[in-house]
Amino acid sequence: MAFQAVYCCLARQAELKRLVQWARRKRLPGPERAYRGRLTDGEARLAAYTLRHPGLVRIATGLFVVNNWLVPPPRY
């Protein structure tokens, strides 16, 4: 259960980072600010998981990187 939560948190952070870049490229300050706020919340959540389950976060991060290498995110 915790592994799934960490992995989903990593995926959400990656998606929010792509959305922040998109909003910056489109020069949309409102959505960029909103995405940055959600990204900050996600980073805090991941930091809490890191304190509770450091090994699990390390494994999930490694698997997430490998998965993104094998199956890159879609280009919009």
Side-chain angles (χ1 to χ4, degrees):
M1 186 71 173
F3 177 81
Q4 182 181 5
V6 171
Y7 195 86
C8 289
C9 187
L10 290 168
R12 182 173 169 90
Q13 275 190 314
E15 181 66 22
L16 286 169
K17 285 178 184 178
R18 285 191 294 272
L19 286 169
V20 166
Q21 290 175 351
W22 172 82
R24 186 179 309 137
R25 204 170 42 247
K26 296 292 182 178
R27 296 184 184 139
L28 301 170
E32 182 182 354
R33 197 174 320 112
Y35 294 142
R36 280 191 187 278
R38 289 182 180 180
L39 183 60
T40 303
D41 293 342
E43 289 170 349
R45 188 176 303 116
L46 188 61
Y49 285 133
T50 303
L51 288 175
R52 280 185 265 158
H53 310 288
L56 189 67
V57 171
R58 202 171 311 122
I59 291 169
T61 303
L63 289 175
F64 185 77
V65 168
V66 169
N67 188 37
N68 277 348
W69 182 68
L70 293 173
V71 183
R75 297 191 69 168
Y76 297 110

